[in-house]
Amino acid sequence: MFRFEYPFVLLLLIFIPVSFYLMVKGRQGIIYPSLEHSMDAIKTKTLRVRLIVLPEILFSLGLALAVLALCRPVHYDSNSKETRKGIILEMVLDRSGSMGTWMDKEQNRNRLDIVKETFLKFIDQRENDVIGLITFARYADTLTPLTGSHGIFRAFVDSIALADQDEDGTAIGEALALGVARIESYRSGLDSGAQPDAVIILLTDGQNNQGKITPQEAAGLAAEKGITVYTIGFGGGFYRNAFGFWDKIPPAYGIDENLLTMIAEKTAGLYFNAEDEKSLQEIYRKIDALEKVELDTAAYIRKEELFQKFLFLSLLLIIVSLVLKDLFFNVVDETT
């Protein structure tokens, strides 16, 4: 973005046409070695005659650039701050082996497929949020840092895969603690007076069975930092029974609902249970409606001062105009 820091100085530009007129009016004629050469020049309208006012034009342009330099032209790559509607939102998604449970009898999509698709639709609706993504199985990993640039998520979300046997497990406590740590790290970079609300949405289909940090400890840490945690138990789907027939899985089967409810209540959040894509989308719609607050977002700035360039060109044009006037467009009074 280009702007003048002192735009009122532009008023000086109105005097430049006046000065140009006075300079041209004061010019009487060009010095020629003899009358003969003078008459020939007038008859043929030499280039020298045609360009008689060139020094004045260059001088006026130099003055105009000097005025622009005084206005202090500056180029900004971005704004320093903007206030908008949104929150700090950390998404914590389970990718343990059980997330591979088929959600249809045709085995087209599993739980993780639906979670990924629904997540991308959800963040499309939260364009003003600063969002981060953490995935977990036996260990918790930061997949994307907290950012307002949501275009990066699709490639990262597409890369999420089910945990293999060596890394399988469900470390709910460590995943939640990592989410709290990432939010606090982001907050530390904001102005001391701008500490926006923060939310963690934790989705799992199982029970905590890994990690050194317990879910209770992580929930206490989130509550201490004023971070609201919404927990989602995503169950349902289908499995083949002993006779080879498909049976439906109850929505809450295998999910530690008491634990997820405790985490939510301790942090002033809510627990939800989803059994399919439609119910999961409805949960995200409810959360979307609950979380609408103002957020002051920090932005990186690159500020470039341009007055030196304008001043250099101004001096160059003025010097060139003076040299041309003295060497090629000497003037003489008509009476001499």
Side-chain angles (χ1 to χ4, degrees), residues 120-132:
L120 289 173
K121 292 177 181 177
F122 175 66
I123 64 171
D124 284 343
Q125 301 168 4
R126 308 286 303 188
E127 59 182 11
N128 292 329
D129 289 343
V130 173
I131 300 177

Side-chain angles (χ1 to χ4, degrees), residues 280-297:
L280 183 59
Q281 290 176 346
E282 181 60 29
I283 289 169
Y284 278 130
R285 276 193 289 271
K286 291 179 180 179
I287 296 174
D288 178 63
L290 289 169
E291 298 297 337
K292 295 286 188 185
V293 296
E294 283 195 355
L295 169 67
D296 286 334
T297 59

Side-chain angles (χ1 to χ4, degrees), residues 183-248:
I183 289 173
E184 285 303 290
S185 176
Y186 182 85
R187 279 176 166 176
S188 67
L190 300 176
D191 295 339
S192 57
Q195 292 298 316
D197 292 341
V199 169
I200 293 175
I201 301 177
L202 187 149
L203 184 149
T204 183
D205 70 342
Q207 306 176 19
N208 186 76
N209 54 28
Q210 296 291 336
K212 296 180 180 179
I213 302 176
T214 68
Q216 291 80 0
E217 291 171 333
L221 184 60
E224 179 185 338
K225 300 300 183 180
I227 300 172
T228 301
V229 181
Y230 294 102
T231 54
I232 301 174
F234 187 38
F238 295 87
Y239 76 102
R240 286 189 181 275
N241 60 27
F243 302 99
F245 297 104
W246 287 100
D247 279 343
K248 188 171 177 59

Side-chain angles (χ1 to χ4, degrees), residues 264-276:
E265 291 180 347
K266 194 168 187 176
T267 60
L270 294 170
Y271 165 68
F272 302 93
N273 178 251
E275 61 176 333
D276 53 26

